[in-house]
């Protein structure tokens, strides 16, 4: 697709860096022809935080990361990463960051140790320093036992951990992870989450894009929801859940006619719709009086509601309400009440 310029979104003069921010973007625009991928994105990420950019496929997550990582030029707006303008100071930005994409960028025919030594040499370390750095990272990511094995023999989770290790060879202050657990099994995903948590505790700012709701809920200090190239909500996981509904009442209706009647009656109170299961999720304050009021309003004759359940609102509710989309991999996207950060 041919890239076009958009005169009405000319880049603005670079602003001075805001103190305490690792990433700052103002009014980012990007379009391909008539398709506006980003439509005025603003972001502020504090140093040392894990920040999650959450959204459905095609929402603009990867485009945002590519602009912040200097791999793509915005059509308008400004951005600073690690205190440097991504357009005027590209080289300084690149020295301060590392980017790990959805798929491991490794030489499968080399061993784990050889991959890391090669990356270290490319980053400018001497041969002895590269060997020391490779050994240190292999131990840190629990890969020392596989250091002499060819990467072709690694599992998906091991490859992803090695890829993360490679991204830290240059000791970046900001690490961009673009959907880092895509395609991993649940055990490997948990291992990557543990690594990300460890990096954050070590002071690295992590900018994470994901479709997995549990991933954002467990890892992120703050979350921004992007849809259609725009940020539609931002806050902590708890703040976003309260914004949609502090508590959700799930109603399972007796038949399709009852489902349609209840959906029309409840209207804007509905935060979750599942026609196949005849289930509606409704906002409530969780008090018994409010639950009784809703049930009486929907089903005064006690014939339409088959059963009901009360839940604390989840990022699933946030995602569906704000984007109208479907979370990736439903099994992985379901958030239990006991979820906690790594």
């Amino acid at each position: 697709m041919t890239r076009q310029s958009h005169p009405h979104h000319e880049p603005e003069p670079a602003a001075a860096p805001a103190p305490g921010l690792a990433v700052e973007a103002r009014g980012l625009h990007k379009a391909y022809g008539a398709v506006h991928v980003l439509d005025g994105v603003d972001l502020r990420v504090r140093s040392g935080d894990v920040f999650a950019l959450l959204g459905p496929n095609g929402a603009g997550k990867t485009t945002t990361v590519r602009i912040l990582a200097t791999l793509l030029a915005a059509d308008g707006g400004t951005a600073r990463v690690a205190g440097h303008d991504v357009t005027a100071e590209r080289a300084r930005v690149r020295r301060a960051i590392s980017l790990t994409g959805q798929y491991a960028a490794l030489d499968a025919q080399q061993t784990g140790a050889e991959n890391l030594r090669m990356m270290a040499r490319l980053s400018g370390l001497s041969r002895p320093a590269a060997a020391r750095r490779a050994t240190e990272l292999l131990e840190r990511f629990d890969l020392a036992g596989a250091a002499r094995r060819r990467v072709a023999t690694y599992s998906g989770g091991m490859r992803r951990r090695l890829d993360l290790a490679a991204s830290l060879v240059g000791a970046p202050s900001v690490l961009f992870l673009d959907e880092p657990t895509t395609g991993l099994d649940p055990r490997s995903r948990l291992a990557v989450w543990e690594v990300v948590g460890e990096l954050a505790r070590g002071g690295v700012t992590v900018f994470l894009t994901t479709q997995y709701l549990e991933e954002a809920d467990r890892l992120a200090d703050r979350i921004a929801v992007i849809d259609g190239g725009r940020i539609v909500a931002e806050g902590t996981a708890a703040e976003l859940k309260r914004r949609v509904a502090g508590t959700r009442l799930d109603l399972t209706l007796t038949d399709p006619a009852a489902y349609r009647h209840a959906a029309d009656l409840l209207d804007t109170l509905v935060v979750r719709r599942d026609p196949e299961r005849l289930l509606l999720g409704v906002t409530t304050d969780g008090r018994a009086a409010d639950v009784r009021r809703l049930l009486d309003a929907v089903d005064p004759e006690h014939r339409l509601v088959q059963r009901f359940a009360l839940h604390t609102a989840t990022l699933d509710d946030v995602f569906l309400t704000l984007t109208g989309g479907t979370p990736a991999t439903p099994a992985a996207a379901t958030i239990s009440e006991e979820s906690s950060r790594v």
Side-chain angles (χ1 to χ4, degrees):
M1 195 175 286
T2 304
R3 190 176 119 196
Q4 295 183 354
S5 61
H6 296 268
H8 56 292
H9 292 316
E10 287 299 317
E12 303 167 7
L21 293 182
V23 177
E24 183 178 20
R26 298 178 182 177
L28 289 184
H29 285 265
K30 185 64 183 177
Y32 295 95
V35 179
H36 288 263
V37 183
L38 298 183
D39 192 14
V41 167
D42 296 329
L43 292 170
R44 291 165 64 88
V45 181
R46 296 176 304 195
S47 297
D49 272 5
V50 177
F51 182 90
L53 187 60
L54 178 68
N57 277 333
K61 300 188 301 296
T62 295
T63 299
T64 300
V65 167
R66 288 177 62 81
I67 289 172
L68 295 175
T70 76
L71 299 179
L72 188 66
D75 295 331
T78 63
R80 303 187 74 92
V81 176
H84 307 297
D85 184 88
V86 298
T87 300
E89 302 173 285
R90 290 176 64 195
R92 289 186 175 183
V93 172
R94 290 184 175 187
R95 284 196 292 269
I97 69 170
S98 188
L99 168 64
T100 297
Q102 297 180 27
Y103 305 102
L106 302 166
D107 185 339
Q109 299 310 310
Q110 288 190 327
T111 67
E114 288 169 344
N115 267 277
L116 294 186
R117 287 199 298 268
M118 176 183 67
M119 295 290 187
R121 292 286 284 151
L122 289 173
S123 69
L125 295 184
S126 66
R127 194 178 299 276
R132 287 194 299 270
R133 185 64 172 155
T135 299
E136 173 192 328
L137 289 169
L138 287 164
E139 291 176 353
R140 181 177 181 180
F141 286 85
D142 196 24
L143 290 168
R148 297 184 180 181
R149 282 171 46 191
R150 288 189 305 119
V151 172
T153 68
Y154 282 21
S155 67
M158 292 172 67
R159 288 189 184 210
R160 176 53 72 197
R161 295 206 310 275
L162 184 64
D163 202 31
L164 287 171
S167 71
L168 295 177
V169 161
S173 62
V174 181
L175 176 61
F176 291 99
L177 300 179
D178 188 17
E179 302 197 19
T181 60
T182 295
L184 295 185
D185 60 79
R187 185 182 298 275
S188 297
R189 185 172 294 126
L190 283 171
V192 171
W193 290 350
E194 290 173 0
V195 168
V196 172
E198 181 186 334
L199 293 176
R201 289 189 292 273
V204 177
T205 302
V206 180
F207 189 109
L208 170 77
T209 74
T210 184
Q211 297 179 72
Y212 296 122
L213 305 180
E214 188 178 5
E215 191 156 86
D217 200 32
R218 295 185 70 168
L219 293 177
D221 296 293
R222 293 187 67 79
I223 300 167
V225 181
I226 187 170
D227 191 39
R230 296 183 178 184
I231 302 298
V232 296
E234 184 177 349
T236 65
E239 288 168 349
L240 293 177
K241 292 171 190 177
R242 285 196 298 269
R243 171 174 172 169
V244 171
T247 308
R248 188 186 77 238
L249 177 66
D250 282 353
L251 305 174
T252 301
L253 288 304
T254 54
D255 56 48
Y259 176 88
R260 290 191 296 271
H261 171 77
D264 290 342
L265 184 66
L266 294 167
D267 194 18
T268 57
L269 292 178
V270 178
V271 294
R272 185 172 189 174
R273 299 171 189 264
D274 189 340
E276 291 185 4
R277 296 168 56 198
L278 300 177
L279 185 146
L280 293 171
V282 187
T283 60
T284 173
D285 62 15
R287 293 182 300 114
D290 192 49
V291 172
R292 281 196 296 267
R293 180 185 61 80
L294 285 168
L295 289 171
D296 288 341
V298 172
D299 191 11
E301 299 180 4
H302 304 168
R303 293 188 297 107
L304 304 182
V305 176
Q306 187 177 67
R307 60 180 177 272
F308 67 89
L310 203 59
H311 303 277
T312 300
T314 70
L315 280 188
D316 199 356
D317 301 311
V318 173
F319 192 97
L320 294 171
T321 301
L322 297 178
T323 72
T326 302
T329 313
T334 301
I335 304 172
S336 68
E337 299 301 330
E338 293 77 26
S339 291
S340 60
R341 284 191 192 162
V342 172

